[in-house]
Structures are given as C-alpha cells and as structure tokens.
Amino acid sequence: CSAVIQSVHTNTWSNVPFFTVPLARAHGKSFAHRSDLRQAKRILVKLGSAVVTRGDECGLALGRLASIVEQVAMLQNQGREMMIVTSGAVAFGKQRLRHEILLSQSVRQALHSGQNQLKDMSLPVLEARACAAAGQSGLMALYEAMFTQYSTCTAQILVTNLDFHDDQKRRNLNSTLHELLRMNIVPIINTNDAVVPPPEPNSDLQGVNVISIKDNDSLAARLAVEMRADLLIALSDVEGLYDSPPGSDDAKLLDTFYPGDQHSITYGTKSRVGIGGMEAKVKAALWALQGGTSVVIANGTHPKVTGHVITDIVEGKKVGTFFSEVKPAGPTVEQQTEMARSAGRTLASLEPEQRSEIICALADLLTERKDEILSANKKDMEHAVSRLSPAMLKRLSLSSSKLNSLSIGLRQIAVSSQDSVGRVLRRTRVANNLELEQITVPIGVLLVIFESRPDCLPQVSALAIASGNALLLKGGKEAANTNRILHELAQEALSIHGVKDAIQLVSTREEVEDLCRLEKMIDLIIPRGSSQLVRDIQRAAKGIPVLGHSEGICHVYVDHEASVDKAIKIIRDSKCDYPAACNAMETLLVHRELLRTPLFDQIIDMLRTEHVKIHAGPKFASYLTFSPSEVKSLRTEYGDLECCIEVVDSMTEAVDHIHKYGSSHTDVIVTENEDTAEQFLQQLDSACVFWNASSRFADGYRFGLGAEVGISTARIHARGPVGLDGLLTTKWVLRGEGHTAADFSEQGSMTYLHENLPVAQVLPGRRTTS
C-alpha cells in the first residue's frame, strides 16, 4: 500500500515543503461537479481550531464535535474511508491547566490571604506546547468515546513538519494510514504540537501562543494528496470563500472557485483562532486540487447546519465553496438569475403594447417553427419511451394540434396583458395635495420547476412576459431537447424589444434543492409536476414562497337527486379524459340511497367499460358481499385509470369527507336540487367547487385566463388556477408637496381627509415597476 516518491521539487508555504507535482497520485483528476461528490470513496475531514474550540477559546465545543463524529461515523458505515485532521489539543490542554492552576492558587490564597482575595487571582500566560502535551491524550480519549457510540474504531497519529522531510518516515506514515483504512479504522491525525518549534507569538487565543493553523491546512492538503483522497472537506468558522471580505455589504459567497480566480477575491480578517486565515486555506486547497483531490471549504460552526454539513457536502448539495478545475461553458445559475432580474426590470418598464407584441411573436413562432419543435420532441420521446410511464409520456408528447392550442392561448394572454402592470387598484386623497395610489407590479423573479411538460414552457413564459416578471426555468432532463428549442423561441421573441435575458433556462447540473436555497435572488417558486416534486420543493424552500399544490385529490359527489345522464357524463369526463391530470377525479362519493339503483349500476358499468380499476371505501365495502379491493387510504391520488368509491348518507357528510380526505383542489356535486347544490358550494372549502360540471374545468385556459402557471390550494395570494393576476403584487405610491407627519400632529396645521377617489388609468409617464 505504500507509495514511493522519488525526485521532487518543493515550494515552502509556512514551514511545510509542498511537492509541485504529486508523483504518487494514480487516480488523476478531481471531480468536475458537486453532484459527483456522491461518488467520493476516501474522504478527509479537516477540523479547524475555530470548529473544535468553544467560543471562550478554552475547552472544546462538545456539541459540534459530537455532531461531526456522528456524520463521519455514518459515512464510514456506508463503506467510505474516512480520515480526520483535527485541532483542539491546545484548547483542551489550556482548559485542564487553567483548572489545575486555579485550584492550586485558590488553596494557597485561602491559606495565606483569606477567601476574599480569590477574585484578584490572575492566570499566567500558558505556553502552547505545554497545553498541547496536557490536552492531546484527553482529546483523543474524547474522540474514542464518541466514535465508540457508533461502533467505529479510531487510531491516533501525531506528526510534525520534519516528518515530511524524510522519505522513509513519509513512506511509513503512508503505509500506516493505508493499513488503518483497510481495517475500517478512522485515523485521527494532528500535528505533535508538544514538540514543534516555537510559533510566532500572537494573541488569537488569549494567554496562549497558538500553533499556526496553517500547519493543519497544509497537513490536510498534503495527506489528502498523498493518500489519494477523493475529497477534502475543510471546516472553519466562515461559510466559504467570498468575493470580498465577509460582512461587507457586497460580499457574495462563491459557490465554486476555479484556479486562476484569485484576482477576483480579497481576503478579510483571520478567524478568531489560528494565524493562517482564508488565504492559507485557499493555497492549500488549490494545491490539493492540483494533486487530484476535490476540496470544499465550509462552515463547521453554524448551529443550523453543523448537524449535516459534512453529509450535505458528500450528497452534492450547495454548501460552502467547491473548488473545481472545470469551468462551465455558460453562466452559473446565480449569474443567470441576476441577468434575468436586470432584464425583467426593463421588461416591466415596457409599454403594455410592447409586451403584448412579444407574446404574439412567440405565438407565431410556435406555429411557424413547429417542425423544429416536433423534431426535438421526437428525440425526447424516443429516449424516454423505455423509462417513463404511459401517463408521463403523454405529458411529454407534443403535436401540431397542441402547438396550435398553445398559440391561441398565448394570444388570449396578449390581449389580457394590456392593463396588467401599473393598473391602479385604489386611489385615496390622504390630505390636500397628498394622494395615495395602490398599483399592480410584478412579483420579481419567478422560478418555475416542471417535469415532462414542455408545453408548460411557452405558457409560463407568456404569463411572465405579460406580468413583467423575470423567469428562471428548470425543466426535466427527459424534455431537454424540446425545452431547449422552446426557450430559444421565447428569447427570440423577447429580443424584439431588447429583453432577451428576462427568461433563462437552467441547463446546468443544478439540484432542485440547491435552486430552492437562492432566497436572496428568487421571489416565488412555482412547481409543475408530481405531488412528490411539489412536496420536496415545499420542504426545501424554507425562505421562498411556493405557489402550488402537493396533491390533487378531487371528488365527485353524486346526490340522490342527480340526473342519470349528467352523472354518467361528468364522472366519465372527470376520471377518464386525462387520468394523470391534477384535476382528475380520484374519489367518487355516492349517496347511500343510490345503491342498488339503475343509476349506480350504470356508473359501475361505465367505469368498467373505461377500464377503471375500482377500490372500495370502508363504508361501501360493508354493503357488498364480494367487494373490489378495499382502499388502503382514502387520501390517495392515483393519477391513472383508478378511483375509490365511497358511500355517504348526505350532502353534509360528503362535505365532511372531502374536508377530511381531500386536498382543497377541485370538488364537484351532481344534483338537480338547487338548494342542496348551493349549500355544497358555500360549505365546501376548496379552491374550485363545481355544480353539474366536470372537475376537468379547473384549468386556466378553460377559465379564460389564457394559460396558467399552476393551480394553487394555498389560502394566501392566489388560489385555484393561477393566471396573469396571480403573478402580480402591489405597491403604494404617495405623491405630496413637502408633507410631513408632524403637519398632522395636535400642533400641526393639516388634517387627514382619507377620501376615496375614482380609479383612473395611470398615465404612461407615471407607470412604475418593482
């Protein structure tokens, strides 16, 4: 297992010589993308002093350390090979020596001066090597005790800089580490601070000259390369690498750092412990990267993320700064978002006629270039036919008729967009010459994530253009070719008025969860896809509002006074027209009096003819001698030719059932009794409630909205099919002539009028944007 290193050229950083080319490396290149980190087999975790030590710089941060140990043990038990380079011996020893000194001084002073003198005691400056000698055994004992809880064995290795000058010692170290990894043991490596040369004095730890933290950065990089580690995770007390000093107003965390980008960053102050700072970490990281080891620098002290920072990194999530040698050909998703926001503001400032012109141009392109679109869609269908279900393939497929319908819908949006942005909703005369207006404005930057629905792209693009919103699109890879051509057409239409960048298609290998973390850049997320996708996004997007619904459990209730023809027609359409749609019927509720009647028999015969698999609800099953398979859950979205049938005793019981098991999406009553219908419509709390009409009408196009970005079951902002109005918010505009709040005080000369004024159209010169 040992590696023989022959002639080398060295550069000296701090006290440690670095090989310019690690000749022993066999596996070659580092990972190009974050998502590849899941493949990392051998991982080295470097724990900086700021991570291991407490805030008072005396003693260890036991909670953080326990969390880190848990993550390392979990990865080790997954079959990975884990190594740790740790700090902390000095801090742990300082705590022990301070305790001993205080105890000794308190005894002496109690004997000679009395207890009242204890408060005047002062501690001597503690020498760092003595602290290390006192703390090293305790630190290792702590690691052993923690890892034992996870049935993981550890071994301690102490090294000094001088060990790396001797080829034989270096080979011995390499052989020892390989043997420990082979036996599934976690090596815990530290510099032997008890015998190293005296460090440069500094005051990073009060009362202690700290061994340079650069030694551990350099040590971690050296070991990662010589041990051919796939990944080096360097944990510190900063989030990662910034383009300017952290804490400054314009500082932005760099998600990815590329060699040669050093000129684009400036280094801030050092961490509270150590003297190396971020510059030393970057140098060590770049050297390790050159040697073929991927590197991530991240925060190991943040209480909200410490418990999963290491596992998140290994899972490829956007945590800290990832060092990569492969620079993407196009802009990053952050750059795309900034481009979209900038162009979106220009889009919002256009005249309504100009935005309408862009949408009409896109509508024309959908029909003029349909051969290109259908050709791209054919490629996607050929790739997906063996991987997707028939229902998903139907969503993926485009046709000439679908494109024509899309074009018609876009023209409807173009017409309705004429009075969208800048529309005055309310005018108030607050006082003489002080007028207040509430006007509509775009929300900002929308992120729309959609699966297997390429027709969603032009619909959502048109709605974003009409409402003056910037748009970030993330489509499923199964529709990559179709999405690419449709996005090109959208940008071609936007180019008419110089706002091409307002709509961006994310084609990089961004995980959906990572996009949901861009809370400072994205104002609203709209998921279009499976209920699982929506739930995942709602869970991940903690700082960004999500518009949508996680389930479409729609009900049709057939009352005992229902028309036979209407019931059969509505049930067939609601279930069989498009079973995969979110507005398809999933549960059929039947009034008890209809059992064993011709109407009920006809419903069952129709469903069987349409090859609908029936699941019996508990109450329905109790009426049958030989029942269909009993439903596992009354809260099920089948998304296929399947449905549940349940029996209720009344309209009120139907409403209660829907409230308990439904998803507040779309629910229907079939009855000829107007009073019963009106009670159902008023009592039921769903986004869409219909009387004698199919649930499939819950659609933006069918509602006359032109198109929709989705159907929302939320209770704030938009609800039901969300069209143009759902993508607008408002702002207040106040126009005065030097008015102040003091003018309206008891001693002031003015009084409030608060008169409602007629709403008039905003003059072009007064139109405002967000």
Side-chain angles (χ1 to χ4, degrees):
C1 294
S2 63
V4 178
I5 302 177
Q6 298 175 346
S7 60
V8 295
H9 301 284
T10 63
N11 293 328
T12 301
W13 295 349
S14 185
N15 305 351
V16 185
F18 284 85
F19 304 105
T20 54
V21 181
L23 300 178
R25 190 132 186 111
H27 67 288
K29 293 185 177 180
S30 59
F31 294 124
H33 305 281
R34 276 188 183 269
S35 56
D36 296 332
L37 296 180
R38 297 181 182 128
Q39 304 170 29
K41 169 73 172 176
R42 184 170 291 173
I43 302 170
L44 192 151
V45 179
K46 182 260 175 181
L47 305 178
S49 298
V51 176
V52 178
T53 60
R54 289 197 321 232
D56 62 3
E57 301 165 2
C58 180
L60 302 181
L62 296 179
R64 282 201 296 267
L65 208 55
S67 175
I68 289 167
V69 166
E70 181 180 15
Q71 294 172 79
V72 171
M74 186 180 77
L75 294 171
Q76 178 84 358
N77 292 332
Q78 289 176 359
R80 305 180 199 267
E81 297 175 339
M82 304 299 296
M83 298 179 285
I84 294 176
V85 170
T86 183
S87 302
V90 174
F92 195 67
K94 178 184 177 183
Q95 183 184 34
R96 292 182 64 181
L97 293 181
R98 282 187 64 181
H99 178 76
E100 292 299 324
I101 292 170
L102 281 171
L103 184 62
S104 175
Q105 287 184 344
S106 64
V107 170
R108 286 200 305 270
Q109 289 198 356
L111 291 173
H112 297 95
S113 306
Q115 293 288 341
N116 60 330
Q117 299 296 320
L118 287 176
K119 61 183 179 181
D120 297 325
M121 288 190 301
S122 60
L123 287 173
V125 173
L126 299 175
E127 205 275 330
R129 284 174 291 176
C131 290
Q136 193 67 58
S137 60
L139 177 64
M140 193 59 206
L142 184 63
Y143 273 121
E144 282 189 11
M146 287 182 172
F147 273 107
T148 299
Q149 303 301 313
Y150 304 97
S151 302
T152 301
C153 187
T154 59
Q156 180 183 28
I157 296 179
L158 295 175
V159 297
T160 66
N161 295 338
L162 299 176
D163 293 330
F164 291 94
H165 290 275
D166 187 302
D167 286 348
Q168 184 59 48
K169 288 184 178 180
R170 194 166 61 250
R171 285 195 293 270
N172 291 343
L173 174 62
N174 189 296
S175 177
T176 300
L177 288 170
H178 273 93
E179 183 66 11
L180 291 172
L181 293 177
R182 186 186 68 80
M183 293 188 292
N184 201 33
I185 294 172
V186 177
I188 298 178
I189 307 123
N190 195 2
T191 52
N192 191 355
D193 296 341
V195 298
V196 296
E200 291 295 323
N202 66 85
S203 57
D204 291 329
L205 281 182
Q206 297 175 5
V208 179
N209 292 330
V210 181
I211 307 303
S212 171
I213 197 171
K214 284 189 290 187
D215 287 346
N216 267 345
D217 289 317
S218 302
L219 172 63
R222 168 70 67 82
L223 288 172
V225 172
E226 293 201 10
M227 290 301 295
R228 304 175 187 176
D230 301 309
L231 173 61
L232 166 60
I233 299 174
L235 297 182
S236 182
D237 58 351
V238 292
E239 303 298 327
L241 195 59
Y242 288 80
D243 58 357
S244 56
S248 59
D249 290 339
D250 297 326
K252 291 182 180 178
L253 179 66
L254 299 178
D255 168 60
T256 308
F257 184 78
Y258 306 98
D261 279 358
Q262 290 95 320
H263 64 279
S264 67
I265 62 171
T266 56
Y267 297 104
T269 57
K270 301 185 291 279
S271 66
R272 62 177 174 83
V273 288
I275 65 173
M278 185 56 73
E279 188 170 5
K281 290 176 177 57
V282 172
K283 285 182 178 179
L286 289 174
W287 189 84
L289 187 68
Q290 179 191 1
T293 295
S294 295
V295 182
V296 175
I297 295 177
N299 191 339
T301 64
H302 197 294
K304 290 186 178 180
V305 299
T306 301
H308 45 81
V309 60
I310 298 174
T311 52
D312 279 356
I313 289 170
V314 175
E315 288 172 9
K317 295 180 181 178
K318 280 195 172 183
V319 179
T321 300
F322 171 62
F323 285 69
S324 174
E325 294 182 298
V326 180
K327 207 160 190 174
T332 65
V333 67
E334 290 84 2
Q335 291 168 334
Q336 283 186 289
T337 308
E338 290 176 353
M339 291 161 59
R341 185 180 289 280
S342 177
R345 285 173 174 149
T346 305
L347 173 67
S349 68
L350 296 177
E351 294 296 323
E353 295 77 13
Q354 293 174 306
R355 288 193 295 272
S356 180
E357 187 180 349
I358 294 172
I359 299 169
C360 288
L362 178 56
D364 291 338
L365 288 170
L366 289 178
T367 53
E368 292 170 5
R369 307 269 285 277
K370 68 179 179 182
D371 291 341
E372 292 178 54
I373 299 170
L374 295 178
S375 175
N377 187 244
K378 184 180 178 183
K379 291 180 184 177
D380 289 330
M381 291 291 291
E382 289 171 352
H383 293 149
V385 68
S386 61
R387 296 184 294 110
L388 297 183
S389 66
M392 295 295 281
L393 283 172
K394 187 174 181 181
R395 289 186 177 188
L396 178 61
S397 175
L398 289 180
S399 63
S400 294
S401 60
K402 244 184 184 180
L403 292 175
N404 288 334
S405 296
L406 279 172
S407 181
I408 294 170
L410 263 57
R411 294 184 189 283
Q412 287 181 340
I413 296 173
V415 172
S416 61
S417 70
Q418 293 292 326
D419 62 345
S420 56
V421 181
R423 183 172 77 253
V424 179
L425 302 179
R426 180 184 304 175
R427 292 181 65 221
T428 304
R429 181 177 288 117
V430 179
N432 289 329
N433 298 318
L434 185 64
E435 291 192 6
L436 178 68
E437 288 179 343
Q438 184 185 21
I439 63 172
T440 57
V441 293
I443 289 174
V445 178
L446 312 178
L447 168 60
V448 177
I449 303 169
F450 54 101
E451 296 175 323
S452 305
R453 289 284 299 270
D455 57 329
C456 170
L457 195 152
Q459 288 180 338
V460 173
S461 296
L463 287 169
I465 294 166
S467 57
N469 284 291
L471 181 61
L472 205 61
L473 294 159
K474 173 67 172 174
K477 59 184 178 182
E478 65 280 350
N481 294 297
T482 314
N483 289 338
R484 190 177 301 112
I485 181 65
L486 290 173
H487 175 248
E488 289 173 4
L489 298 182
Q491 289 203 319
E492 185 176 328
L494 287 163
S495 299
I496 295 174
H497 292 293
V499 287
K500 173 184 174 183
D501 291 336
I503 296 179
Q504 298 285 329
L505 180 65
V506 179
S507 55
T508 57
R509 298 171 63 171
E510 300 290 331
E511 297 291 339
V512 167
E513 188 169 340
D514 292 331
L515 293 172
C516 293
R517 294 180 179 180
L518 300 175
E519 68 275 0
K520 294 182 180 179
M521 310 179 79
I522 294 170
D523 300 299
L524 179 66
I525 300 177
I526 304 171
R528 297 287 302 271
S530 66
S531 58
Q532 186 60 50
L533 171 73
V534 179
R535 281 194 295 270
D536 289 344
I537 291 172
Q538 288 174 332
R539 193 162 41 243
K542 295 178 180 177
I544 310 174
V546 178
L547 189 152
H549 63 281
S550 58
E551 294 174 305
I553 304 174
C554 304
H555 295 73
V556 173
Y557 164 58
V558 182
D559 187 56
H560 67 289
E561 296 182 75
S563 159
V564 174
D565 293 338
K566 290 178 184 177
I568 297 294
K569 194 174 176 184
I570 289 169
I571 294 168
R572 178 188 284 115
D573 190 73
S574 295
K575 180 71 257 183
C576 308
D577 177 62
Y578 191 178
C582 64
N583 58 10
M585 181 195 79
E586 304 295 1
T587 298
L588 173 63
L589 298 178
V590 179
H591 195 286
R592 179 173 51 82
E593 292 182 12
L594 292 178
L595 293 178
R596 300 182 179 87
T597 65
L599 170 56
F600 184 74
D601 293 340
Q602 289 180 52
I603 291 173
I604 298 299
D605 289 343
M606 180 273 294
L607 291 174
R608 286 174 176 165
T609 302
E610 297 290 344
H611 306 290
V612 177
K613 183 178 180 180
I614 297 172
H615 301 276
K619 200 168 180 181
F620 179 43
S622 68
Y623 286 96
L624 303 174
T625 306
F626 300 101
S627 70
S629 62
E630 190 165 341
V631 68
K632 293 180 180 178
S633 170
L634 290 169
R635 193 181 284 110
T636 301
E637 183 177 12
Y638 297 99
D640 207 341
L641 285 173
E642 294 182 65
C643 74
C644 167
I645 297 180
E646 182 58 309
V647 174
V648 292
D649 291 336
S650 64
M651 180 274 296
T652 302
E653 187 177 328
V655 170
D656 291 341
H657 178 101
I658 295 171
H659 282 159
K660 185 173 182 178
Y661 299 109
S663 61
S664 300
H665 191 295
T666 301
D667 299 290
V668 177
I669 182 172
V670 183
T671 184
E672 295 303 300
N673 187 313
E674 184 175 353
D675 290 338
T676 302
E678 288 301 326
Q679 288 180 50
F680 182 90
L681 298 178
Q682 291 173 19
Q683 293 177 19
L684 193 59
D685 187 20
S686 295
C688 300
V689 191
F690 301 161
W691 172 26
N692 286 348
S694 167
S695 62
R696 295 279 291 123
F697 278 105
D699 176 82
Y701 175 75
R702 295 184 178 111
F703 276 15
L705 305 178
E708 66 181 33
V709 293
I711 294 180
S712 171
T713 55
R715 300 177 186 280
I716 299 175
H717 191 55
R719 199 172 187 216
V722 181
L724 180 57
D725 288 343
L727 300 181
L728 296 170
T729 185
T730 65
K731 73 177 178 183
W732 297 90
V733 177
L734 184 65
R735 297 180 176 88
E737 295 183 359
H739 293 74
T740 66
D743 294 335
F744 298 87
S745 65
E746 291 183 5
Q747 293 76 30
S749 58
M750 303 193 72
T751 57
Y752 289 110
L753 299 176
H754 293 145
E755 295 178 4
N756 291 327
L757 299 175
V759 173
Q761 291 297 318
V762 179
L763 298 173
R766 289 170 57 186
R767 184 176 289 109
T768 58
T769 63
S770 64

